[in-house]
Amino acid sequence: MIIRSVMTGVGSYLPQNVVSNAELSKRVDTTDEWITERTGIKQRHIAAEGQFTSHLAIEAGRAAMAMAGMTPDKLDMLIVATTTPDNTFPATAAKVQAAIGRPGIPAFDVQAVCSGWIYALATADNFIKAGQVKSALVIGAETLSRFLDWTDRSSCVLFGDGAGAVVLQAAQGQGTSADRGVLSTHLHSDGRYFDILQADGGVSTTQTTGLLRMKGKEVFRHAVVNLAETAREAVDANGVTFADVDWLVPHQANSRILDSTAEKLGISPDKVIITVDKHANTSAASIPLALNQGVKDGRIKPGQLLLMETMGGGFTWGSALVRF
Ligand code: ACO
């Protein structure tokens, strides 16, 4: 028998303010046609003034805990994956912890840009498997709209705000791919590509947050290769094939990246959860947001095999194979 981290609750939160491509084209030199054709994005949610990453994270975290039927006193660990924290310090997780009402447990942020939630999932899963905690709330939350350059049409049209969360709880497993829970996680980083996707500022360099800068074509080229490779290592590590996967729940960057990755893996498009059209790219929030969508609309069912994969700034990339 081994310990598995079972996903017992999922939740999400999206800001009320929805901005369509047509509305965006009134203040940015772009069109609905260009954005739709190149990215599949039709709209994005944008946080209201005074609405911070922690607010989105708290709502998503509470929804996940409600689905799990978990009271705060049963929670052992809280991780927030974000690139857009409320403050430079302390961690956004500290604010979420105070709001959720569970003082004393470890609460911290993880920063791996669009891969942040997979990094946070791997961290929580390993704490659970080591027996150090029995449960964890793993949140991805972002207000990317706050550090976009709204004069750079090649990047500002791609992103949105939102949060998603998952409750993990320890359970006994047999050590096979038939177990429920996180079956494996796979993390990668290659800092040689630091400047292809970055914020051009920070505490130690400019004393500002900087704005998002991206060499889109290079990101695209690396994403398609790295996503396929990390998806393969996830199925290989568990002795399953892509045909066994019920749902691909990918990071939502761009529908062309989603389509070409699914095609490379031989996964049919109707087995891919897609939210990029409605949410745009919400970085660390995008996988748990997509997971929540699939679970709440009834497509993802308990016992099904989910393949998650992601790629982001750093570069960072990774995957997780999960039996829901
Ligand atoms: N509206 C209208 N025209 C635009 C826009 C816009 N929003 N943005 C760029 N253009 C124009 C450019 O100026 C250029 O015009 P030109 O030919 O007259 O010079 C033309 O469109 C083509 O520009 P490219 O940059 O070559 O367009 P490309 O086909 O590469 O698409 C895109 C750009 C969508 C950014 C693409 O490179 C991409 O999706 N890259 C992946 C980036 C990504 O997903 N990043 C997310 C973060 S990382 C991650 O999550 C994986």
Side-chain angles (χ1 to χ4, degrees):
M1 297 289 266
I2 64 157
I3 302 174
R4 293 289 195 192
S5 313
V6 176
M7 293 183 171
T8 54
V10 296
S12 74
Y13 181 80
L14 289 157
Q16 274 183 348
N17 181 23
V18 176
V19 178
S20 68
N21 291 346
E23 283 170 81
L24 199 60
S25 66
K26 289 181 194 152
R27 56 181 176 131
V28 177
D29 180 18
T30 189
T31 60
D32 175 42
E33 291 71 29
W34 193 94
I35 301 173
T36 305
E37 189 198 316
R38 305 284 175 127
T39 72
I41 295 165
K42 299 299 289 182
Q43 61 174 49
R44 72 283 296 139
H45 293 249
I46 302 289
E49 210 182 312
Q51 190 174 39
F52 305 142
T53 294
S54 63
H55 298 132
L56 314 189
I58 290 162
E59 295 298 331
R62 283 185 176 142
M65 287 186 54
M67 180 177 160
M70 178 180 268
T71 49
D73 58 302
K74 295 283 187 289
L75 187 65
D76 291 347
M77 171 172 272
L78 196 165
I79 311 180
V80 177
T82 187
T83 302
T84 47
D86 288 19
N87 293 61
T88 302
F89 81 90
T92 300
K95 277 194 181 175
V96 178
Q97 176 178 29
I100 282 176
R102 180 61 170 134
I105 62 167
F108 55 95
D109 288 1
V110 164
Q111 212 290 71
V113 207
C114 297
S115 308
W117 189 80
I118 291 288
Y119 268 66
L121 180 75
T123 305
D125 176 45
N126 280 300
F127 269 95
I128 289 174
K129 284 195 299 202
Q132 204 167 341
V133 301
K134 288 197 161 41
S135 67
L137 179 58
V138 185
I139 304 173
E142 302 281 14
T143 47
L144 288 164
S145 63
R146 300 272 154 73
F147 82 149
L148 297 176
D149 177 352
W150 291 99
T151 66
D152 174 13
R153 65 179 182 172
S154 67
S155 64
C156 72
V157 303
L158 302 175
F159 297 92
D161 302 336
V166 161
V167 171
L168 296 178
Q169 288 183 269
Q172 295 288 333
Q174 301 293 328
T176 73
S177 64
D179 289 346
R180 280 191 73 197
V182 178
L183 300 178
S184 66
T185 55
H186 308 269
L187 304 181
H188 300 279
S189 182
D190 189 340
R192 290 175 299 173
Y193 300 106
F194 183 91
D195 61 354
I196 290 182
L197 180 54
Q198 61 157 333
D200 62 357
V203 178
S204 181
T205 49
T206 59
Q207 295 82 55
T208 64
T209 57
L211 296 174
L212 185 142
R213 303 289 175 213
M214 181 180 69
K215 295 175 185 160
K217 273 196 201 308
E218 289 182 58
V219 173
F220 195 104
R221 199 162 47 81
H222 285 275
V224 175
V225 174
N226 290 344
L227 290 169
E229 276 180 16
T230 193
R232 271 199 194 97
E233 68 183 334
V235 294
D236 289 350
N238 293 283
V240 299
T241 68
F242 291 119
D244 298 314
V245 171
D246 292 297
W247 294 104
L248 182 63
V249 189
H251 168 52
Q252 311 279 323
N254 178 317
S255 61
R256 286 188 299 150
I257 295 178
L258 298 180
D259 293 345
S260 61
T261 307
E263 196 186 323
K264 260 187 166 201
L265 305 179
I267 294 180
S268 124
D270 59 5
K271 289 170 101 182
V272 186
I273 305 286
I274 292 180
T275 52
V276 70
D277 53 335
K278 297 197 174 61
H279 303 166
N281 182 346
T282 57
S283 191
S286 93
I287 292 179
L289 269 165
L291 175 64
N292 182 70
Q293 178 65 49
V295 170
K296 298 293 160 66
D297 68 22
R299 279 180 292 172
I300 297 175
K301 297 181 179 63
Q304 288 189 327
L305 195 60
L306 313 181
L307 175 58
M308 300 163 172
E309 34 90 327
T310 187
M311 151 100 189
F315 288 138
T316 53
W317 66 102
S319 59
L321 195 72
V322 178
R323 192 167 293 284
F324 188 68

